[in-house]
Amino acid sequence: MNTFPRLVIGRRRLLAATLTGVVSLGLAACGRSGGRGSAGSSGSASSGSQGWPRTVKTDDGDLALSSKPQRIVSTSIALTGSLLAVGAPVVASAVTAPNTDGLSDDSGFFVQWSDAAKKQKVEKLYEIKSVDVTKVAGYEPDLIVVAKSGGDSAADQVEQLRDIAPVLMIDYTGHSWQDITRTIGQVTGHEQQADTVIADYDSRLTQAKGEITVPDGTTSALIVFGDGTGAAALTQESPQVQVLTSLGFAMADIPEEVKGDTSMGPRQDIIKLSNENVQTGLPGDNWVVVAADRASRDAIANEPTFSTAAPVTRGRVAYTPASTFRLDYYSALILLDSLKESYKKG
């Protein structure tokens, strides 16, 4: 597994993996749904939306499927929510540490889709820190879903997994959750359900626009590293920033001078900021602290790295729940509700 700073001991074992290890945050073109294309090159199915066999372009080349998948195993907890949202037949999913406050349930499922997983009787595959190909094979899947990079990635085992079943690989660091949902819909034969959940989100986004007051000035979005090493600045490619932009927020540019001192590899959605660069790298008049728990709030209020920044001293900071660090249909709605509460008209 990749090396990463812990975001906070306990609740954020997976958050740490997702921020710098490399699980992603992914949302959308929101109001501009169509965005940057699908999670594949185009996501188009060669035999049309109804027929099988079909071939779908993915982040790992063309995926050919002879029939509609009936038993799907997800090795990526970050992608399981999108599978469940379209009603795909997931039989098992990788999990994170159980009972992590605000993040996971007693099975290690993400709280935003825990109920959907239990209703569908999804079983625990393994915790993401230890990929187990044998367990995947034990479920006799006809499709395996893999994250191309990230703390929950099984990309290093993809050739072994392909010996079991066809593999859908998705790089969610570079695609919106809508694009990922469309691709999953095409691969699983649930295109209509994918369109339905995206349309529902779009409707709620439109409603939210009428219920908030966008703050004056520019805004920076960030996630606080729980080990005291700084923060992640969220770029225009990140899902949360795309949501904010769709709601009308003017996002501050991240200065070029802070982009080169720490590398996030192929990540497009975040830039790691050392403590010395936090305030330089987050120049917005307002801050939105994403995936914030008590430790994050304490750091913002009490650690000079954050507490002396103008947005903090002027009381121009908003916080979103832990479940919003990785966006799918379920957590995108949670993010909207959080922003409506923080910026409600009044």
Side-chain angles (χ1 to χ4, degrees), residues 1-5 16-17 20-23 148-153 156 266-267:
M1 179 170 294
N2 298 326
T3 302
F4 52 80
T20 59
V22 186
V23 155
K148 189 170 186 176
S149 63
D152 65 344
S153 176
D156 289 345
R267 294 286 300 264

Side-chain angles (χ1 to χ4, degrees), residues 69 75 81 106 113 130 158 197 294 332:
T75 65
D106 55 359
W113 46 259
S130 55
V158 71
V197 297
R294 186 178 304 165

Side-chain angles (χ1 to χ4, degrees), residues 13 39 49 59 68 86 115 120 122 135 141 143 158 194 210 229 240 242 250 272 322 326:
R13 290 180 185 176
S49 61
D59 289 321
K68 185 174 180 178
V86 303
D115 288 345
Q120 192 164 307
V122 177
K135 285 188 176 180
L143 180 69
V158 71
T229 59
Q240 294 83 356
Q242 291 176 20
K272 182 183 175 185
R326 165 69 183 108

Side-chain angles (χ1 to χ4, degrees), residues 242-258:
Q242 291 176 20
V243 173
L244 290 165
T245 300
S246 295
L247 289 170
F249 285 70
M251 303 305 298
D253 292 331
I254 300 172
E256 290 295 325
E257 64 193 270
V258 304

Side-chain angles (χ1 to χ4, degrees), residues 6 14 26 41 54 56 64 188 207 227 243 278 285 290 326:
R6 291 178 180 271
L14 178 64
S41 301
R54 63 177 55 173
V56 179
T188 63
Q207 180 182 356
D227 63 351
V243 173
V278 162
D285 302 298
V290 173
R326 165 69 183 108

